[in-house]
Each structure stands twice: as C-alpha cells, then as structure tokens.
Amino acid sequence: MRRVLGYLQELSFMDSLIQEYYAISEAAVIPKPLVLNSLAQVKADHSLRKGFSETEITWILENTIQQFDIQPTIEGRDFHELFTGPNLRLETVALIYSLAGIANMFCLTQDKSSPRNLLEYRSLFAKRMLLASDTILQICKILTPVNDLTIWVLYENVILSTVVYGDYSSTKWHRLGELSTHMFELGLHRDSHQSSDLPPFLVESRRRLFAAAYQLDKSIATFLGRPPRITQRHSDCRLPLDIGDEALSSNAQIALASQSLDSNGWNLHGRFQRSAWIRLRFLISTFREEILELSLQSSKEETADQLR
C-alpha cells in the first residue's frame, strides 16, 4: 500500500496531465468540476509529500471503510470534501491515477525534447497507473460497498485498459463486466429507482456515466463480436441534460441552465459540449444495439429481412 500511495510523489505531473485533458478533451465523462476540485484539494494536501507513514495509511483505509454518505443538500462544488482533505479515500487516489494514465498516453503537457515524450516512458507510466488503480480497486472491493467513486474509477479503468492493452484484450472485456455489474448494483440503469434524496448534480453525473458506459459497451461488443452487457430492454435511465459541466457546480446553476433546453433536453444555443457528445453517442448506440441483436442471432431468412 505504501508503494501504491507513493506514486502521489508525481502528483504535480499528474495534475498537469489531467488539467490539460479536461481543457481539450470532449470525451471526458466525469464532470469537470467534480474532478478538478478533488484534484486541487489532493494537490494542496499532498504535492510535497515524500511518502506515507503507517498511521497515515491506516487513516486513509479507515476513511475508505466508511460508508459513502451523500446528503441531498450538498452542492457539486462541495462534493469533493466528502472524499478529499481529512476524508481522503482510496477511490480518489485511484481516479487520479487512471485519469493521469489516460492523459499521458495522449502525449499531453510534454515537451518534445523531454525524455518523458518517449513512447516507452508513456507506456510504462500508463501501465504503472493501471496497476496502481487496479490494486486499489481490489482493496476497495473488500473494504467498502460500491459507491459513485467506485463507478468513476471502474469506467476510467476500462478506458485505460483499452489504451494499455489494446482493443482485442480480454482484460478490457473483463473490466467492462465489472463496470456493468457495479452500475446495476448501484442502480444507475433505472432512472425510476433514482432516490429523490440524491442531489441534482449527482443524478446528472450518473446519467452521463450510464450513457457513456452504454456506448462503450456497444463499441466493445461490436468490435469483439460478443453480446452487449448493458441493454435498453433492462434500463430506463434518461439521457443527461445538454448542459455544460460548470452548471453542475450548484443546483441553482443546473436549474438555470435547464431553462435554455428544448423539450428533448438539447441546448437551444447550438453549443457543442461534452454532454451533447455523450447524448449523441448514446443515441447512435441504440441503433447499434438493434443491429447487434440481429447479427448475433443464428442466420435466418427473417434476419436478412429485418436488416433491410
């Protein structure tokens, strides 16, 4: 555990990677304020740290064991306080590692003359981050029930696995299974089961993650020629609203941004933002699911007719 947490000595480098990733990427799924606020707090607390004592490791483990209790009145801008600072949890560390590994493979924030720009270094760094986040996930399975942070880490872990091991990797397939299982356990697939006690920003965050995972599932199933794990037949999660990430900082901003949407949840200003891409990819994937259902059946004359 000391070795895994010791990677936080590279936190300044990880911070620059994740900052740039969110500055330029339209593929980021976890809302920007929820990630960057967390990152800023962890950096403020641990950027100069050279290691963790046994007492400090025990403190983090004890935080992780605690049930992740989310009050309905909490605002998005304050959400990070539940799992950073004196409440730092292992899931937070794993999320930083996963995002840093993904961003690093995209060659971000790297001087072309620096050894860190070498493909070998990027690959080794990503593998270290994947191994570290994997280790933390295994520990969290033992210590704490599934929560929203776990889902965040699992999603980014699937993406990082694809980057590290490639599209044909069975590792990616297995991790997708873990992600879908944990989402079902937490109820992300059933909007009708969303508790009214959840704050609006978290409901929107869950919808984004479900939509992104649904699209990822169809992409992987198509590529590998295997049945999808997440289907519309067993889900009724609504599409996330087409609002900017910053609106999720407070419930008042969500309400204000919602006034600029049409009846289908699209923004009326013609803006292309992360939520719009998530919605669009989801809608395209619903057609892909129908095609997969037909293509994976035994060949019949009726199948050809349906495809026409």
Side-chain angles (χ1 to χ4, degrees), residues 8-203:
L8 285 176
Q9 294 181 50
E10 301 177 69
L11 188 56
S12 293
F13 177 54
M14 296 179 195
D15 175 68
S16 62
L17 286 169
I18 297 171
Q19 291 282 354
E20 187 169 352
Y21 177 67
Y22 269 90
I24 68 175
S25 174
E26 292 296 321
V29 171
I30 306 171
K32 181 178 178 179
L34 306 188
V35 171
L36 297 192
N37 289 349
S38 308
L39 183 61
Q41 185 63 60
V42 174
K43 185 180 179 183
D45 294 338
H46 303 287
S47 61
L48 300 178
R49 182 180 290 278
K50 299 301 181 183
F52 287 83
S53 66
E54 290 292 338
T55 301
E56 290 168 326
I57 292 173
T58 301
W59 155 64
I60 295 174
L61 290 173
E62 288 176 347
N63 285 341
T64 306
I65 291 172
Q66 299 300 314
Q67 183 171 344
F68 194 57
D69 188 26
I70 303 171
Q71 297 299 317
T73 55
I74 193 170
E75 300 277 6
R77 60 173 170 263
D78 302 321
F79 187 51
H80 67 283
E81 295 176 1
L82 300 181
F83 48 88
T84 61
N87 299 312
L88 181 64
R89 299 172 65 99
L90 284 176
E91 299 101 314
T92 312
V93 179
L95 179 64
I96 292 173
Y97 289 168
S98 296
L99 286 169
I102 293 167
N104 181 70
M105 289 301 287
F106 294 152
C107 313
L108 301 178
T109 67
Q110 299 194 31
D111 185 340
K112 297 299 181 183
S113 64
S114 169
R116 284 189 164 178
N117 189 55
L118 296 175
L119 179 60
E120 181 181 2
Y121 175 84
R122 294 200 304 269
S123 178
L124 289 174
F125 180 83
K127 287 179 180 177
R128 277 199 295 127
M129 295 300 99
L130 181 59
L131 178 60
S133 63
D134 273 346
T135 301
I136 291 175
L137 279 171
Q138 295 306 315
I139 295 172
C140 288
K141 286 180 185 178
I142 300 171
L143 294 182
T144 187
V146 62
N147 56 54
D148 287 274
L149 298 181
T150 313
I151 303 296
W152 289 3
V153 177
L154 282 166
Y155 176 82
E156 301 299 345
N157 195 271
V158 175
I159 303 298
L160 183 54
S161 297
T162 304
V163 171
V164 171
Y165 295 120
D167 290 314
Y168 281 108
S169 167
S170 60
T171 301
K172 177 182 70 174
W173 175 251
H174 296 159
R175 290 199 168 100
L176 176 64
E178 280 191 272
L179 172 62
S180 57
T181 299
H182 282 71
M183 287 199 312
F184 294 149
E185 182 178 350
L186 200 58
L188 268 67
H189 63 303
R190 301 306 302 270
D191 216 288
S192 57
H193 290 183
Q194 293 278 15
S195 171
S196 58
D197 292 334
L198 287 176
F201 80 87
L202 190 59
V203 173

Side-chain angles (χ1 to χ4, degrees), residues 230-290:
I230 308 170
T231 64
Q232 278 196 303
R233 184 179 304 170
H234 305 107
S235 310
D236 63 5
C237 184
R238 301 175 193 171
L239 278 172
L241 298 175
D242 184 14
I243 57 179
D245 283 15
E246 297 303 331
L248 300 187
S249 294
S250 74
N251 298 333
Q253 289 186 56
I254 294 175
L256 182 62
S258 298
Q259 296 175 12
S260 299
L261 303 176
D262 65 18
S263 58
N264 293 315
W266 295 99
N267 80 79
L268 297 171
H269 302 296
R271 297 195 187 107
F272 294 98
Q273 47 200 6
R274 291 190 184 97
S275 54
W277 293 116
I278 292 172
R279 288 166 59 93
L280 183 60
R281 293 186 189 106
F282 175 88
L283 292 171
I284 293 172
S285 295
T286 61
F287 296 108
R288 182 174 284 185
E289 180 181 342
E290 293 180 26

